[in-house]
Every structure is written in structure tokens, then in C-alpha cells.
Amino acid sequence: MSTLTIDRTDVAADAALRPRVRDFYDAYYDALDDVRLEEWPDFFTAECLYRVIPRENHERGYMLCTMQAESRGMLQDRVTGLLKTQMYAPRYYRRFPGPLRVTVAADGIRTRHNLLMVQTLIDQQPTVVLCGVCHDRLIEEDGRLRLAERVVVFDSEMIANSLIYPA
Amino acid sequence: MSTLTIDRTDVAADAALRPRVRDFYDAYYDALDDVRLEEWPDFFTAECLYRVIPRENHERGYMLCTMQAESRGMLQDRVTGLLKTQMYAPRYYRRFPGPLRVTVAADGIRTRHNLLMVQTLIDQQPTVVLCGVCHDRLIEEDGRLRLAERVVVFDSEMIANSLIYPA
Amino acid sequence: MSTLTIDRTDVAADAALRPRVRDFYDAYYDALDDVRLEEWPDFFTAECLYRVIPRENHERGYMLCTMQAESRGMLQDRVTGLLKTQMYAPRYYRRFPGPLRVTVAADGIRTRHNLLMVQTLIDQQPTVVLCGVCHDRLIEEDGRLRLAERVVVFDSEMIANSLIYPA
């Protein structure tokens, strides 16, 4: 994996690619913030890896994670489950991604960015429910970008139950 | 409203426009974070809409909101009031806008971005007082951008009293 | 100090410079978030100013601050101390910089950006430990950017003890 900014050629690629990657994440997070969950699986390739994992496990190489899906179909099942059962106390989530780091690797576009996820129970002050970093891999498919891999590493040991919602 | 990235022409417009819009918001938020409130009304057009509204009301189409102003004059009155009366416990606000989405519409430049507003009472830890999304419309006037419309939709039902300060 | 966007020439400079500055901060914050503290001093010039100071003191021109270092050597000492003594309750820090404002001055590249620093004790919910603004000055040295000056102004009166870690 080499960063896009190493030589002149890479800088050019970067200048063309970055706005597309940025637009991809804008659309991804807008869909989740607006609770259009049914759109979520389509941001992934048919075969994919979606993983939400505590930092300690990730850094030690343990695979024990909070959530894992290995195909778009599994993500769709997840959404179906969520849409049927979301009868909790009314609450909203809003995602604040940090600066986006984009590198090009042999197997696709690698991105890294921090993620802050804020929960608002509507009669309370907002609180931070997730603070972590996303290690993603995107590939181009039929002229659009899709996530082949998304690994969300969060800094807590345990995850708030609120994280039944996608990050 | 169409996004700037739909075709080649739009991409070009985007590349020229985005830095100006980004600079506009940098200046807007710097002025508010630095408590230069007297500069705030000048970021708006003479006739304008400034609205701070809870998400539930906004999504149901109710107009009941926390604050509304329909002209730069009303914003100026607001500032005058604030400058006279801000004798609360010493506190600071700092605004963290999320990634900026810019689209061009027939009636101006539409932007969308999340907003996290953090309050610090100087002898306490910082807390999140507002988490929401801004739906804005900018127009060009005498060679500079101004807000013709700014609708701040926040995720809580009630707003912290601290939000007497502009968002 | 003049902003990069004042005239055509400046815009051009901006377009070339901004990605480099952005990459610099991506690398800076990644190193700190990943706790690669031994890399931290190398982001600074041999003679430098690193200061973490409460907003009240900064605005009144008082020099009383929470931490100050005046050379890369002092930063290295700091890191050595930290690496020896970090036997606190397990915790992580993650930094969320706001939009980056870049201007070119006679003495280097001036940047301003807000900074939110989130602490996670691994068995608790994340909390905001620092909310402030960074006033930095970068210079070019041997083809890479380095911090000649970094002043982190935070909104609290007191700083959390956690801020023994670099911001």
C-alpha cells in the first residue's frame, strides 16, 4: 500500500479520486444519519466484510467482535431485523467522521478516518456512544464505489447497546 | 436540486465553488467561536431565514421552532440583546461542522453538514450541547457569499438554554 | 499574514499547498491516536514552541500555561517520561480536528483549526476531555513540513490530568 501523495503520478490520481471517495462517504453517512437503513447494504459489494470490533481485540489479533457480516445479504438481514424491532426509547444517531485519509493499494482504495457517533435521546443532552477509527477498502464496481471491507475499531471494551445501529 | 457531481460540467463547477463555500463556513464558525457576534448578521442576506428547530417538528412539517428570524435586522436585534445580557456563568461554545455537502440548485447553493456544538463551563469538562444538521442556502451578492437560508435541525426535543447563542 | 484566497495567485498557492498541509495533520494525528509517541517530536523543528494554554490566559496575554516546550529535545524528554510512567487506568485518546484554515505569512504557513479530544476509559462511555483551537505555524525543512509553533488553546480553566498526553 502506498499513499497517493508519494510522487507526481500519485498526486494526480489523488486529485481525481479524493472527491469521489469524499462523496461516497457523504452519501454513506447521510443515509445512516437520516435512518434510511434500507439503503445501507447497497454501499457494500455482494461479498464483503463488515466488522465492528473493540480496539483491544483488534490490536491483539483476536477476531472476537461485536458484529460481523460477510455479505450484502447478511447486512440486509440485519436491516430487516432492525426495521422490525426498533421500538426502543426514541433516539437519534449522528456520525461525525474525521479527516479522510485515502491511499491506493493493489486490492482497492484504502481509507482511514476517525468516527465519532453521537446519540441523542430526545429529552436528554447528546452523548458520545462510539469513538473509534474506520479501516475501509473500496473497489469500483459498475462505475460506482462500494465497500469491500469496513472494519470499525472502537476504543471501548464494551459497546453500548445502541450500536445495534450501523456505524 | 442536482448534485454538483452528476456530469463533467458540474464537477468543474464544484472544483471552483467548493473552496469558496468552505472558506465561507470557516469564517462563519470562526466568528461565532471567537464570540465576534457583531459580525454574525453580515453573513446573511438582508431578507433571510434563520431557523433553529427540533428534528421531530422539522420532519413532521411543524413550524414550531426554538428560534426564527426573517431578516438581517432581526439577527442584529438578537445580537444586541445578547451583548447586553450575557451575564451567565462564564462559558464558551465551539462548533465542529461535519463534512460539507455542496449542491447547486436553481435558487442558489444548497449545503448540508452536521454540526456538533460543544459547551465548556470553564471549571468543568466540555459537554455536547447541540447535535444536528444544517440545511443552508447561499447566494452570491456583490461578489461574496451570504446565507439566504439557514435551518439548523437538532436531534433533541428541547434545546439547552445555552442555545441563546447562535449556531 | 494574508489568506491564500485573496487573489488568483494566492488561490493557486492554496491549491498546491493545502493537500500537503492536510496530509501533515493526518499523519500528526494518526501518530498520536495510535500512541506512536516516539514519532511525535519529529513533527517539530529543532527549535520550536509547543504550548497548551487555557483560553482565559491566552486571551489576556498571560503566559501561564499547562505545558510548554521550546525545543524538540524537550518534547523528546516529555515522551521518554510518558513512556516510562503511563501506568494509569487503561485509556485511549482520539483527536477530531475541525476544518483546517491555511494562510501564508512571512514567517511560514499559519493554520487554525478546532480540536476535540475524546478520552475512552475502556469500560466506560467516551467523554470529551479537551475542546479548543490550535494556532500553528509550519515551515518547510528538507522538503518536509514541520511545526515551528503549536499553541493549543483550550476552553476550560483547568486541564484534565489526562492531558499529560500530547494534543
Side-chain angles (χ1 to χ4, degrees):
Chain A
M1 177 170 48
S2 65
T3 74
L4 275 171
T5 48
I6 283 173
D7 63 32
R8 290 275 160 201
T9 323
D10 283 339
V11 169
D14 185 32
L17 186 60
R18 284 189 66 93
R20 288 191 66 204
V21 176
R22 183 194 64 213
D23 289 347
F24 174 85
Y25 282 102
D26 285 350
Y28 181 89
Y29 287 118
D30 281 1
L32 290 184
D33 287 351
D34 289 349
V35 206
R36 290 180 272 116
L37 299 183
E38 66 285 0
E39 297 180 15
W40 181 53
D42 204 39
F43 286 99
F44 292 81
T45 54
E47 285 184 54
C48 61
L49 174 67
Y50 174 77
R51 180 182 287 160
V52 181
I53 187 169
R55 181 163 174 168
E56 297 235 329
N57 293 359
H58 179 74
E59 290 184 350
R60 290 174 188 174
Y62 300 163
M63 285 300 99
L64 191 65
C65 59
T66 303
M67 193 201 149
Q68 180 154 327
E70 278 148 39
S71 69
R72 192 191 290 149
M74 285 180 69
L75 296 173
Q76 273 157 346
D77 290 347
R78 179 95 183 162
V79 167
T80 307
L82 275 173
L83 293 178
K84 277 193 192 146
T85 58
Q86 56 174 310
M87 24 208 63
Y88 309 96
R91 70 187 66 195
Y92 292 116
Y93 299 94
R94 196 167 293 285
R95 293 144 189 93
F96 290 85
L100 190 61
R101 200 159 196 185
V102 183
T103 58
V104 172
D107 58 355
I109 302 156
R110 297 263 175 192
T111 72
R112 169 189 171 143
H113 62 282
N114 282 349
L115 180 62
L116 194 72
M117 199 166 154
V118 176
Q119 170 183 275
T120 308
L121 286 151
I122 64 174
D123 55 349
Q124 294 177 25
Q125 277 210 324
T127 54
V128 176
V129 285
L130 180 142
C131 179
V133 59
C134 306
H135 299 286
D136 296 357
R137 182 166 60 87
L138 295 107
I139 61 167
E140 179 140 8
E141 208 180 59
D142 307 326
R144 60 169 283 187
L145 296 175
R146 281 204 171 87
L147 285 161
E149 209 176 306
R150 177 164 169 88
V151 179
V152 182
V153 182
F154 60 96
D155 291 338
S156 313
E157 197 170 48
M158 329 176 326
I159 197 137
N161 57 356
S162 49
L163 271 190
I164 50 164
Y165 283 91
Chain B
M1 177 170 52
S2 65
T3 74
L4 276 172
T5 48
I6 283 173
D7 63 32
R8 290 275 160 201
T9 324
D10 282 341
V11 170
D14 186 31
L17 187 59
R18 285 190 65 94
R20 288 191 64 204
V21 175
R22 183 194 63 212
D23 290 346
F24 174 85
Y25 282 102
D26 285 351
Y28 181 89
Y29 287 118
D30 281 1
L32 291 184
D33 287 352
D34 289 349
V35 205
R36 290 180 271 115
L37 298 182
E38 66 285 359
E39 296 180 15
W40 181 53
D42 204 39
F43 286 99
F44 291 81
T45 53
E47 286 185 54
C48 61
L49 175 67
Y50 174 76
R51 180 184 286 160
V52 181
I53 187 169
R55 182 164 173 168
E56 297 234 329
N57 293 358
H58 179 73
E59 290 184 350
R60 291 175 187 173
Y62 300 162
M63 286 300 99
L64 192 65
C65 59
T66 302
M67 194 202 149
Q68 181 156 325
E70 278 148 39
S71 69
R72 191 191 291 149
M74 286 179 69
L75 296 173
Q76 273 158 345
D77 290 349
R78 180 93 183 165
V79 167
T80 306
L82 275 172
L83 293 177
K84 278 191 191 148
T85 60
Q86 54 173 314
M87 25 208 63
Y88 308 96
R91 69 187 67 194
Y92 291 116
Y93 298 95
R94 196 166 294 284
R95 292 143 189 93
F96 291 84
L100 190 60
R101 201 161 195 185
V102 182
T103 57
V104 172
D107 58 356
I109 302 156
R110 297 264 176 191
T111 72
R112 169 189 171 142
H113 61 281
N114 283 348
L115 180 61
L116 194 73
M117 199 165 153
V118 176
Q119 171 184 274
T120 307
L121 286 151
I122 63 173
D123 55 350
Q124 294 178 26
Q125 276 210 323
T127 54
V128 176
V129 286
L130 180 142
C131 178
V133 58
C134 306
H135 299 285
D136 295 358
R137 182 166 61 88
L138 296 107
I139 62 169
E140 179 141 10
E141 208 181 58
D142 306 327
R144 62 170 281 189
L145 295 176
R146 281 204 171 89
L147 285 161
E149 211 176 305
R150 178 164 169 88
V151 178
V152 182
V153 181
F154 60 97
D155 291 339
S156 315
E157 197 171 47
M158 327 178 326
I159 197 137
N161 57 356
S162 48
L163 270 190
I164 51 166
Y165 282 91
Chain C
M1 177 169 49
S2 65
T3 74
L4 276 173
T5 48
I6 284 173
D7 61 33
R8 289 276 159 200
T9 323
D10 283 340
V11 170
D14 185 31
L17 186 60
R18 285 189 65 93
R20 288 191 64 204
V21 176
R22 184 194 63 212
D23 290 346
F24 173 86
Y25 282 103
D26 285 350
Y28 181 89
Y29 287 118
D30 281 0
L32 291 184
D33 288 351
D34 289 349
V35 205
R36 292 180 270 115
L37 298 182
E38 66 285 1
E39 297 180 15
W40 181 54
D42 203 39
F43 286 98
F44 291 81
T45 54
E47 286 185 55
C48 61
L49 174 67
Y50 174 75
R51 179 183 288 160
V52 182
I53 187 170
R55 181 164 173 168
E56 296 235 331
N57 293 359
H58 179 74
E59 291 184 350
R60 290 174 187 173
Y62 299 163
M63 286 300 99
L64 191 65
C65 59
T66 302
M67 192 202 152
Q68 181 155 325
E70 277 147 40
S71 69
R72 192 191 290 151
M74 286 180 69
L75 296 173
Q76 273 157 345
D77 290 347
R78 179 93 184 166
V79 167
T80 307
L82 275 172
L83 292 178
K84 278 192 193 147
T85 59
Q86 55 174 313
M87 26 209 62
Y88 309 97
R91 70 188 66 194
Y92 292 116
Y93 299 95
R94 196 167 293 285
R95 292 141 189 94
F96 291 85
L100 190 60
R101 201 161 195 183
V102 183
T103 58
V104 172
D107 58 356
I109 301 155
R110 297 266 177 189
T111 71
R112 170 190 170 141
H113 62 281
N114 282 349
L115 180 61
L116 195 72
M117 199 166 154
V118 175
Q119 170 184 274
T120 307
L121 286 150
I122 64 172
D123 56 350
Q124 294 177 25
Q125 277 210 322
T127 54
V128 176
V129 285
L130 179 142
C131 178
V133 58
C134 306
H135 298 286
D136 295 358
R137 181 166 61 88
L138 297 107
I139 62 168
E140 180 141 7
E141 209 182 57
D142 306 327
R144 61 169 282 189
L145 295 175
R146 281 204 171 87
L147 284 160
E149 209 176 307
R150 178 164 169 88
V151 178
V152 182
V153 182
F154 60 97
D155 291 339
S156 313
E157 198 170 46
M158 328 176 326
I159 198 137
N161 57 357
S162 48
L163 271 190
I164 51 164
Y165 282 91

